[in-house]
Every structure is written in C-alpha cells, then in structure tokens.
Amino acid sequence: MIYIDANVMYSYLFETPMSESAEAILEHSSKVTSKTAVNEAIYVSFRKLA
C-alpha cells in the first residue's frame, strides 16, 4: 500500500519537477491518505492560487 502525502497531490495538481513521479505514484491501485494530508494539499493550493 502506498501512502499519498500532500506533496504528491500538490505535484499532481501543479507543474513541479516531481509532477511525472506524482502521476506515476497515483496510477498504483492500492493507495491511502489521511484527512490531514488532504487539508494540507488544499491549504497550499489555495496559497498558490491566492
């Protein structure tokens, strides 16, 4: 099982040097995350867009 951190979500949503790796990680069938990681991803995404 792969744990998806906020950094992976951020790199998937925005173009970063790790975007290709994030996409490959998200293609795996068994993955988990936490509410905290989702909240962190939302927070940094809003900061980038604001």
Side-chain angles (χ1 to χ4, degrees):
M1 192 152 308
I2 297 175
Y3 178 76
I4 306 299
D5 188 19
N7 295 318
V8 175
M9 294 180 225
Y10 181 86
S11 292
Y12 182 76
L13 294 171
F14 299 101
E15 187 65 35
T16 70
M18 299 302 293
S19 291
E20 289 183 25
S21 297
E23 189 172 341
I25 289 169
L26 291 174
E27 289 177 356
H28 286 278
S29 61
S30 59
K31 47 194 170 292
V32 296
T33 194
S34 67
K35 290 179 184 179
T36 303
V38 173
N39 285 336
E40 289 174 359
I42 291 169
Y43 176 77
V44 296
S45 297
F46 280 150
R47 279 198 66 187
K48 178 168 178 69
L49 296 173

